[in-house]
Amino acid sequence: MSDIEDDNEISFSVKFLGRVEVFRPNGLNILEEAAQSVKTPDPYSSEKATKKSKVHLFVSLSGIDILENKTKFLLYTCPLPTISFCAVLPSSSKVFGFVAKHPAVDAYHCYLFKSQTQAYVLVSVVGDVFRAAKKEERVRGGRDLIVEALRHKNKMLQKENSELKRRLADKNNQQ
């Protein structure tokens, strides 16, 4: 189920399968390997302890937040610039995931989810968010250049105005 929380954020309720450290930032084979790893029990991994719980994914221009459904505890937050890949698992159309770079260390993690009906929709939404963020970045960058140009023009006009006032005062003093 998806809900538009406000104009910039969409929420999906999905099943969280787990988070797996991966060695490359993208590729369908990374998703396949991560899915295999999640299926294999690992008693030493705390990453898989929270698997298969229902979560809310909040997708916005700032990134993806994963909240545990019952407690509303924030499990993970992935800023948009850290996300390098998102796709539906080729071997299972109900499983999708994304890869994100850890913000503090040089490591990548694949986050896997299952949705009975919305896997493709969510991957599409993430793609749309990336495009919107890029567009906003271009527009913001363009606006910054326009503002800077206007500031420069304003400064030049103020100098010209001061010079004209000085000349006018000199002419009035000569009369």
Side-chain angles (χ1 to χ4, degrees):
M1 172 181 277
S2 82
D3 302 315
I4 297 178
E5 297 297 319
D6 60 34
D7 290 344
N8 296 322
E9 185 174 79
I10 297 175
S11 165
F12 288 87
S13 184
V14 295
K15 188 178 285 189
F16 181 51
L17 300 178
R19 180 180 93 151
V20 177
E21 186 170 346
V22 294
F23 300 103
R24 289 190 316 276
N26 56 25
L28 290 173
N29 55 342
I30 289 294
L31 286 181
E32 292 283 359
E33 291 169 14
Q36 279 301 102
S37 178
V38 166
K39 288 179 186 176
T40 308
D42 184 356
Y44 303 108
S45 175
S46 62
E47 298 292 337
K48 296 178 186 173
T50 60
K51 75 178 186 174
K52 295 192 180 178
S53 61
K54 198 162 194 163
V55 297
H56 284 289
L57 284 183
F58 290 92
V59 181
S60 69
L61 289 175
S62 60
I64 299 175
D65 292 333
I66 305 167
L67 274 72
E68 206 281 322
N69 189 45
K70 289 181 184 173
T71 63
K72 305 301 183 218
F73 179 75
L74 180 65
L75 297 174
Y76 302 103
T77 186
C78 302
L80 199 60
T82 67
I83 299 170
S84 57
F85 184 75
C86 184
V88 174
L89 194 65
S91 61
S92 175
S93 63
K94 296 177 183 180
V95 177
F96 63 95
F98 66 89
V99 177
K101 187 175 189 309
H102 192 285
V105 295
D106 192 23
Y108 295 96
H109 290 97
C110 182
Y111 299 81
L112 292 166
F113 306 91
K114 185 174 186 177
S115 174
Q116 295 298 324
T117 58
Q118 298 183 333
Y120 285 101
V121 171
L122 189 88
V123 169
S124 178
V125 165
V126 171
D128 291 346
V129 167
F130 269 103
R131 283 186 286 285
K134 289 291 183 190
K135 183 177 180 181
E136 183 177 290
E137 186 178 294
R138 279 194 309 268
V139 169
R140 189 181 326 121
R143 285 185 189 149
D144 290 347
L145 289 174
I146 292 168
V147 168
E148 192 59 39
L150 289 172
R151 283 185 182 144
H152 179 71
K153 186 171 185 173
N154 188 28
K155 190 183 264 188
M156 298 306 292
L157 290 172
Q158 286 177 344
K159 283 183 181 179
E160 182 182 350
N161 193 22
S162 294
E163 178 63 27
L164 291 172
K165 282 181 182 179
R166 187 188 60 76
R167 285 186 191 169
L168 185 59
D170 287 349
K171 281 195 178 203
N172 286 338
N173 288 339
Q174 290 176 354
Q175 292 175 350

